[in-house]
Amino acid sequence: MKKYGLLLRQPQQKKPPRPPLPTALGFGEEEEDDVEKEISRQAAKKKSLKDIEDTHKKALEEDPSVFDYDGVYDEMKQKIAQPKALDRQKRESKYIKTLMGKAEERKRQHDVIFEKNLAKERIKDDHLFADKDKFVTAAYKRKLAEQEKWMEEERLRELREEKEDVCIAFLLLI
């Protein structure tokens, strides 16, 4: 919107006054005020340092290891690491013992079967070597004795299982 005619000037807005320039060093304020401020600041600083030192001494008297941050940190880390190290040592598989036992049992069964087959083959060939001496080592005799012992244990275990079998006991009652 334009105005026509006599236009009067509007008064210009005044800018805020500038802040006063800082005084040069050595001029202006009195030196005595600065010295008094400096003395009071130094006294307050000394007092606070003395209070801190007293607190430090009291803390050390109560507990000599109160400022042993590295030792406390090492202990914390050791407490965390120690169970992990013990866990590694103690950890064993739940099933490996039973698996090893079963593998040993299967090996014994295979050995017994192999020996029985070998004995059958020898019986077939005995007539060829009837006039020769037979030699058996002590280790072989021990092995045969262990096999006999194991076979006896297996036979007893099977008898015990048959005796404790619920199905057979139930059928006998009927």
Side-chain angles (χ1 to χ4, degrees), residues 20-73:
L21 293 173
T23 57
L25 288 175
F27 296 104
E29 295 183 18
E30 302 246 348
E31 289 183 21
E32 291 178 11
D33 290 340
D34 288 341
V35 171
E36 287 175 9
K37 286 181 184 177
E38 186 68 25
I39 290 172
S40 65
R41 190 174 63 80
Q42 290 291 334
K45 185 177 177 182
K46 282 183 181 178
K47 186 177 185 305
S48 66
L49 287 175
K50 186 176 181 186
D51 290 344
I52 291 170
E53 190 176 316
D54 289 342
T55 308
H56 187 268
K57 284 181 183 178
K58 286 179 184 177
L60 282 175
E61 287 174 1
E62 290 177 15
D63 186 11
S65 65
V66 74
F67 296 109
D68 184 24
Y69 301 116
D70 291 335
V72 171
Y73 182 79

Side-chain angles (χ1 to χ4, degrees), residues 1-7 10:
M1 183 167 149
K2 290 190 175 185
K3 291 186 181 181
Y4 296 99
L6 184 62
L7 297 175
Q10 302 249 338

Side-chain angles (χ1 to χ4, degrees), residues 100-117:
M100 296 295 282
K102 291 293 183 181
E104 185 68 28
E105 186 177 331
R106 282 192 303 272
K107 183 181 174 209
R108 284 183 182 170
Q109 288 174 350
H110 289 292
D111 285 345
V112 168
I113 293 169
F114 179 76
E115 288 296 326
K116 284 183 180 180
N117 289 338

Side-chain angles (χ1 to χ4, degrees), residues 129-151:
F129 306 104
D131 57 339
K132 306 287 183 186
D133 291 333
K134 293 181 183 179
F135 178 73
V136 180
T137 62
Y140 187 69
K141 286 181 183 179
R142 277 193 304 256
K143 183 179 175 185
L144 290 176
E146 285 178 15
Q147 286 180 354
E148 286 295 322
K149 182 180 174 185
W150 181 78
M151 290 291 288

